[in-house]
Amino acid sequence: MDGWLLLLVIVGAVVIAGFAKRLDLQVPLVLVAVGSVASFVPGLPRPALEPELLLGVILPPLLYSTALNFSFRSFAHNFRSIVRLGVGLVVVTTVSVGYFSYWLVPELTLGAALVLGAVVAPPDAVAAVAVGRKLGLPARMMAILTGESLVNDAAALTLFTITVASVTGSRVGIDSPLLFFVYEVVGGVAVGYVLSRLVRFVRSRMADSALETVLGILVPFTAYLAAEQIHASGVLAVVTAGFVLGSARSGDAIPTRIQERHVWPTLDLLLETFVFAYMGLQLKFVIDDISREGLPVHHIFLYGLLVLALVMAVRPVMLFAGSALRRVYHRARSTEDAELTWRQNVVLSWAGMRGVVTLAAAAGVPFTTLARDDFPGRGVIQAIAFTVAVGTLLIQGVTLPLVIRRLDISDPDEARHLDEQRALARQIARRAVEESLDEAMTKVEGTEAAEVVDRVRRVMLGRLRTEQDEDDQERAARARSSGAVFDRWRRTALRRQREALLAARDAGDLDDEVLAAVLDGLDIEQAATETRLQRFMAERGRE
């Protein structure tokens, strides 16, 4: 892919994403639709990237950012559900699509059909998690979706490697597929853990937040490439590194945490917008590939629609069948049943959109076998994979917000638990302040020093009381939006402050150095206000 074309796609995707957000549209769907139309522009060269570039440059930071901000405790708590979806469902989808495609598509051998199954098996939770966060999905469902997205890519790519090797006649290093899978898991986790501990050791001895952030940005790429060099799972290496470093973020310097809080969302947004635009831009060229092979285009896309229907059907069947079996098991054993409700299972069933891994794996299908024969049905595999990826985005992506709104999936216990945890956090903070300042009062000498300590006590306890009042406002805002109105006006006032300060600087009345120091404080205050507004919108979505 030429550099100018890559830059044009990135800039165009960012601009389109900006307009889509302004109009409150779903960015992935808009980008895919616009990209599909743009692919038919006369003279437009094919935007083709090597699959190694898609998997080794775009996928690692997306996975790492998710793992970095995902609680390992939540992952462990929902481990069985995550593994059932991230591994079990991937295997079932691969086998189901493989045998169905072998029966349906004359151009595919059984091995090539299983390759197609592995290509379309892993869902990409980027769009689903974004919609769920905006509409206030319960934390457990968000944890399951997020955890699934961290695991399923590794399972699907391992199956892809095994099935491709069976068709081409190449070796994967270990003859037994089960042992190869175990090696991929153990090797990937080991590489990610060792690398993250080494990075943690180095960063703890740095005194430069910018360098610490740069080193953190390099972690996902290094983990992925290091694991792939020993033929282990690069995906699991990245995820493990994200978990380990994420759990240790509280020990990072405050400037480093603030920088990374903005760096990773920005990088995620850039990569996600590019990926969805790139997906749409493939449409015209996929059609050209099918025509060049002398295959009927409408037949191939009909095959793709049938495979798409199967892919969309396998997920709910597995979820509801598994849930029913587990309920029967719990009743027979008289144990506690903590299964999701049927409404929550419907939402999870409908959150199976495909994305970057499906596209990259389809592009990575070899052209020939070791015997120099053409890989059977390579063009068909790419066309069907494209149809499934774009089809799930357009069908499930468009309707998922409606499904979430129509079904009552809120969890009152979760909201109550969140309030209790906030109250506990304030109680712990208040106790720490009082103990620290009581100790200080026993050590200071003189009236002036005692007054200083007392002033610190009033300020800090006043801040805690203010936070409690704001939380009370947020709870009241579930019935009336006064808390949100308060924060909106507060945000407006902060913006006016910023504009006035900048105008004074431009007029020459205020020094740049003083302005920068004041703006730093306003940035932190406005960030807190924005966070409260986002929390209010999420809680409102649960109602």
Side-chain angles (χ1 to χ4, degrees), residues 491-503:
R491 179 174 60 183
T492 301
L494 289 169
R495 287 176 177 172
R496 294 285 178 83
Q497 281 183 277
R498 183 184 303 277
E499 292 169 0
L501 290 166
L502 291 173

Side-chain angles (χ1 to χ4, degrees), residues 376-519:
R378 185 179 188 276
V380 176
I381 292 174
Q382 290 192 310
I384 294 178
F386 176 84
T387 304
V388 171
V390 174
T392 52
L393 271 176
L394 295 180
I395 297 174
Q396 295 177 316
V398 167
T399 55
L400 182 61
L402 178 62
V403 171
I404 294 175
R405 290 190 183 101
R406 292 295 297 271
L407 296 175
D408 182 16
I409 56 173
S410 61
D411 188 349
D413 292 337
E414 181 179 301
R416 185 164 52 252
H417 175 72
L418 184 60
D419 289 340
E420 292 172 354
Q421 289 293 297
R422 289 176 183 166
L424 177 61
R426 284 194 301 271
Q427 181 182 352
I428 294 171
R430 182 187 297 274
R431 188 185 307 123
V433 169
E434 291 176 344
E435 290 176 355
S436 174
L437 296 179
D438 286 344
E439 181 181 349
M441 287 293 287
T442 63
K443 295 181 179 179
V444 298
E445 297 179 359
T447 304
E448 184 176 349
E451 289 177 351
V452 170
V453 174
D454 187 60
R455 189 162 68 249
V456 172
R457 182 193 302 274
R458 291 198 305 271
V459 169
M460 297 195 70
L461 294 180
R463 180 179 61 80
L464 290 172
R465 282 193 296 270
T466 300
E467 289 180 358
Q468 182 173 357
D469 291 341
E470 288 170 346
D471 272 355
D472 292 340
Q473 285 179 334
E474 288 178 12
R475 283 192 290 274
R478 294 169 190 162
R480 61 186 189 278
S481 59
S482 59
V485 172
F486 170 82
D487 276 329
R488 289 193 185 100
W489 281 111
R490 185 177 183 181
R491 179 174 60 183
T492 301
L494 289 169
R495 287 176 177 172
R496 294 285 178 83
Q497 281 183 277
R498 183 184 303 277
E499 292 169 0
L501 290 166
L502 291 173
R505 189 275 311 273
D506 294 340
D509 298 331
L510 192 63
D511 291 337
D512 283 327
E513 292 81 2
V514 175
L515 174 69
V518 175
L519 287 183

Side-chain angles (χ1 to χ4, degrees), residues 172-195:
V172 293
I174 300 177
D175 292 332
S176 170
L178 180 60
L179 290 179
F180 179 69
F181 181 78
V182 171
Y183 171 77
E184 286 253 309
V185 172
V186 174
V189 170
V191 169
Y193 181 80
V194 171
L195 177 65

Side-chain angles (χ1 to χ4, degrees), residues 164-397:
V164 167
S166 69
V167 176
T168 60
S170 58
R171 290 177 55 85
V172 293
I174 300 177
D175 292 332
S176 170
L178 180 60
L179 290 179
F180 179 69
F181 181 78
V182 171
Y183 171 77
E184 286 253 309
V185 172
V186 174
V189 170
V191 169
Y193 181 80
V194 171
L195 177 65
S196 59
R197 298 302 299 178
L198 178 62
V199 169
R200 182 65 193 151
F201 174 81
V202 173
R203 287 181 61 167
S204 65
R205 282 153 181 79
M206 285 183 170
D208 191 306
S209 296
L211 288 177
E212 290 182 43
T213 303
V214 170
L215 182 59
I217 292 174
L218 296 176
V219 168
F221 306 104
T222 306
Y224 185 88
L225 293 175
E228 291 295 319
Q229 285 296 312
I230 62 171
H231 304 291
S233 173
V235 170
L236 289 180
V238 172
V239 171
T240 303
F243 275 141
V244 174
L245 291 174
S247 64
R249 290 177 83 179
S250 58
D252 291 337
I254 292 176
T256 303
R257 294 205 303 270
I258 293 175
Q259 284 182 14
E260 290 194 340
R261 197 176 299 139
H262 297 286
V263 165
W264 286 110
T266 302
L267 186 57
D268 286 349
L269 182 62
L270 177 65
L271 294 175
E272 288 164 8
T273 53
F274 169 76
V275 166
F276 291 119
Y278 180 81
M279 285 176 65
L281 287 169
Q282 301 302 309
L283 176 58
K284 190 255 186 186
F285 303 100
V286 169
I287 295 174
D288 290 344
D289 289 342
I290 298 173
S291 301
R292 195 176 299 115
E293 294 183 12
L295 300 173
V297 174
H298 60 286
H299 282 183
I300 300 302
F301 279 103
L302 177 60
Y303 296 153
L305 291 175
L306 293 173
V307 172
L308 168 63
L310 176 63
V311 167
M312 292 173 59
V314 167
R315 187 176 178 91
V317 168
M318 281 289 296
L319 274 169
F320 280 97
S323 181
L325 289 174
R326 287 189 295 277
R327 282 197 171 94
V328 170
Y329 172 79
H330 286 303
R331 287 181 188 141
R333 298 288 299 271
S334 299
T335 55
E336 184 179 355
D337 181 6
E339 293 297 317
L340 298 173
T341 66
W342 71 267
R343 290 182 175 88
Q344 292 173 336
N345 275 323
V346 169
V347 173
L348 285 181
S349 300
W350 208 241
M353 291 82 85
R354 269 55 179 176
V356 60
V357 174
T358 292
L359 285 183
V365 175
F367 286 93
T368 61
T369 66
L370 289 184
R372 300 298 180 184
D373 297 324
D374 290 338
F375 193 98
R378 185 179 188 276
V380 176
I381 292 174
Q382 290 192 310
I384 294 178
F386 176 84
T387 304
V388 171
V390 174
T392 52
L393 271 176
L394 295 180
I395 297 174
Q396 295 177 316

